[in-house]
Amino acid sequence: MTHSALIEELKTLVEPGKVLTDADSLNAYGKDWTKHFAPAPLAIAFPKSIEQVQAIVRWANERKVALVPSGGRTGLSAAAVAANGEVVVAFDYMNQILAFNEFDRTVVCQPGVVTEQLQTFAEEQGLYYPVDFASAGSSQLGGNIGTNAGGIKVIRYGMTRNWVAGLKVVTGKGDLLELNKDLIKNATGYDLRQLFIGAEGTLGFVVEATMRLDRAPQNLTAMVLGTPDFDSIMPVLHAFQNKLDLTAFEFFSDKALAKILARGDVPAPFDSECPFYALLEFEASTEEVANAALATFEHCVEQGWVVDGVMSQSEQQLANLWKLREYISETIAHWTPYKNDISVTVGKVPAFLHDIDAIVEQNYPDFEVIWFGHIGDGNLHLNILKPDALSKDEFFAKCATVNQWVFETVQKYNGSISAEHGVGMTKRDYLSYSRSEAEIAYMKAIKAAFDPNGIMNPGKIFPV
């Protein structure tokens, strides 16, 4: 069947005007934030109901057409890239909050609900949705679930999977499954809900999610601390964790801070210049808690772990301190960074970072390297910036040659090649550094059970 005939059939499955094939739409909806692959989808379909999603999936099985899910397209692993003539299924019109249960503190959402939309809804109910990251204003819930998104609050609240009470999914066969039915306690065999969280759309599409909410935190307060070296950050983390229940513990390098300050819209936290900085957050619910934070800061200074620091005194100052960390990804995007999102257990972080740093310095002496990450949960972001003199393809090829050594180090420390960005296409060839051959075989068998014709986001997580 010709492409034009396939597109005409696809148009009958959704509402009029909800299939796009113009060049601008194909380019916009065929990619995510990665720049490794050129988008080349067949068409973009916008379902408005679960029934329409099922119709698209059943049609795709019949016609052997591959499907790629599209949410906010803020992913960093190319999991939402359509580079091989697939039909993109975009959930922009399935974007409603459907129901709220005040007793269970749950909210039923369609997959196109934007993360910030859910956060705002929770605030309006006097509650809190804690999964948060820089792209919260554009990422969609379905994508968050598909990649098991993490972010800046994992140390206290965990990943997206911790907040999913129930799911409705359309499998690769076109079946509609209702998973867990929002129960807190449910001991009835396999929890299929968890298989779909982090599956990147390779088993099926999330078409509805029931999300848990939490109580709203009280008087969130942040501190930014400058340290004389990276090794000092871990005893600082340990000292504060012994005294406070932290909601976040982030770090960034002086080079990352310099890029942010050069933007001109965020002030420096203090005058002292340090090679590394830690940002920590906690609930200063009482004066006693605030005093404990200050006493811990003074202890860290006495021990030589901290050179200087500042604690937020207002919501505006809290927001400004967070901008020092949250603006990093957006700011360095100008340099087309080569990104690695890697993790180990928290106690191994210092040795792990030193090993990776040595590899990078030896092999990329002329490249600028930006370190930042969620150090409180062992997640480091390694960003190598593209020099102006190199083309994108030349630059990525140079970076890829060292991936083997980076990931061998990840494997040595029993870490993950992708802590929170997913596998997609950018990390699929390195999956064996984090997963055993037997694990990967079981993963492929699970995919075959849910998606026997291989139409659901093929080429993501592992090769076709």
Side-chain angles (χ1 to χ4, degrees):
M1 182 174 282
T2 65
H3 286 176
S4 58
L6 287 170
I7 291 168
E8 289 306 311
E9 283 190 349
L10 180 62
K11 288 179 178 179
T12 68
L13 306 177
V14 294
E15 295 184 9
K18 294 297 183 283
V19 172
L20 301 180
T21 56
D22 62 283
D24 287 346
S25 296
L26 295 180
N27 181 64
Y29 284 89
K31 64 185 180 184
D32 59 13
W33 278 4
T34 55
K35 300 179 180 179
H36 296 246
F37 306 94
L42 174 65
I44 319 299
F46 296 88
K48 295 188 71 174
S49 69
I50 292 173
E51 291 75 19
Q52 289 178 10
V53 175
Q54 286 184 279
I56 291 170
V57 172
R58 288 169 179 163
W59 168 81
N61 273 285
E62 183 180 343
R63 296 302 186 194
K64 301 298 186 288
V65 174
L67 304 177
V68 173
S70 178
R73 300 178 300 285
T74 59
L76 294 167
S77 67
V81 172
N84 298 292
E86 305 96 333
V87 169
V88 173
V89 181
F91 290 93
D92 297 44
Y93 293 96
M94 295 179 67
N95 62 354
Q96 301 300 306
I97 290 176
L98 302 176
F100 170 62
N101 185 319
E102 63 179 316
F103 300 105
D104 290 322
R105 293 202 297 204
T106 57
V107 56
V108 180
C109 303
Q110 291 185 306
V113 167
V114 172
T115 309
E116 192 173 70
Q117 181 184 349
L118 176 56
Q119 292 169 338
T120 300
F121 178 85
E123 289 174 12
E124 291 169 351
Q125 316 309 315
L127 296 170
Y128 187 58
Y129 180 66
V131 181
D132 196 15
F133 30 75
S135 62
S138 51
S139 70
Q140 294 179 9
L141 200 56
N144 296 350
I145 293 167
T147 56
N148 187 28
I152 58 178
K153 309 282 189 177
V154 171
I155 188 175
R156 170 75 174 272
Y157 296 103
M159 307 279 276
T160 295
R161 74 168 68 252
N162 297 74
W163 299 92
V164 179
L167 289 177
K168 287 184 181 179
V169 300
V170 173
T171 72
K173 295 179 180 180
D175 297 326
L176 178 65
L177 302 181
E178 186 172 359
L179 306 177
N180 195 58
K181 300 179 181 176
D182 312 344
L183 297 168
I184 294 173
K185 300 183 77 171
N186 182 6
T188 53
Y190 306 137
D191 188 352
L192 301 181
R193 164 191 51 158
Q194 298 298 339
L195 286 180
F196 280 80
I197 302 170
E200 300 178 29
T202 60
L203 305 181
F205 296 152
V206 172
V207 291
E208 188 176 288
T210 302
M211 309 301 295
R212 300 194 192 283
L213 303 179
D214 199 15
R215 69 165 182 83
Q218 299 176 0
N219 194 26
L220 283 174
T221 301
M223 301 179 79
V224 171
L225 310 174
T227 67
D229 48 46
F230 182 80
D231 288 346
S232 297
I233 291 178
M234 298 312 289
V236 170
L237 170 62
H238 185 65
F240 275 92
Q241 279 189 312
N242 279 343
K243 299 295 182 181
L244 304 170
D245 292 325
L246 298 178
T247 55
F249 193 94
E250 304 283 304
F251 93 104
F252 47 91
S253 68
D254 53 351
K255 293 179 180 178
L257 179 62
K259 298 293 186 189
I260 295 296
L261 297 182
R263 288 173 55 128
D265 53 359
V266 184
F270 38 75
D271 292 335
S272 303
E273 295 183 0
C274 303
F276 288 97
Y277 298 84
L279 185 156
L280 60 93
E281 184 188 68
F282 59 94
E283 292 183 75
S285 53
T286 66
E287 187 176 348
E288 183 181 1
V289 173
N291 289 338
L294 289 172
T296 305
F297 164 71
E298 292 170 0
H299 170 72
C300 291
V301 172
E302 290 169 1
Q303 297 298 315
W305 302 330
V306 169
V307 175
D308 205 344
V310 63
M311 186 165 78
S312 64
Q313 301 298 317
S314 66
E315 288 191 11
Q316 183 59 55
Q317 193 177 14
L318 172 69
N320 283 340
L321 292 180
W322 266 112
K323 288 174 184 177
L324 297 173
R325 166 63 183 86
E326 290 190 314
Y327 280 10
I328 295 174
S329 286
E330 177 188 340
T331 301
I332 66 175
H334 170 75
W335 286 272
T336 313
Y338 190 88
K339 294 175 171 287
N340 266 311
D341 158 46
I342 46 188
S343 68
V344 293
T345 54
V346 176
K348 297 176 182 176
V349 165
F352 176 69
L353 186 140
H354 283 302
D355 283 1
I356 298 293
D357 221 17
I359 291 170
V360 173
E361 286 184 10
Q362 180 180 348
N363 292 279
Y364 303 133
D366 300 324
F367 289 177
E368 188 171 13
V369 175
I370 304 290
W371 281 105
F372 65 95
H374 320 291
I375 203 163
D377 54 48
N379 180 194
L380 308 175
H381 295 303
L382 166 63
N383 294 263
I384 304 167
L385 306 191
K386 186 183 80 64
D388 292 337
L390 285 181
S391 71
K392 182 187 74 173
D393 291 341
E394 289 175 314
F395 172 63
F396 283 162
K398 284 179 176 290
C399 292
T401 59
V402 182
N403 265 349
Q404 178 181 344
W405 300 316
V406 170
F407 293 139
E408 282 175 354
T409 307
V410 170
Q411 187 176 42
K412 182 178 81 171
Y413 284 90
N414 287 323
S416 172
I417 61 164
S418 184
E420 62 177 358
H421 293 162
V423 179
M425 291 194 284
T426 63
K427 298 296 184 288
R428 70 184 176 192
D429 295 335
Y430 307 104
L431 187 60
S432 61
Y433 289 96
S434 286
R435 296 297 193 104
S436 69
E437 189 176 319
E439 278 184 289
I440 294 172
Y442 277 107
M443 290 166 68
K444 289 179 177 179
I446 290 168
K447 177 170 172 60
F450 283 97
D451 178 29
N453 291 318
I455 64 162
M456 304 303 284
N457 216 9
K460 315 300 166 59
I461 301 182
F462 20 71
V464 175

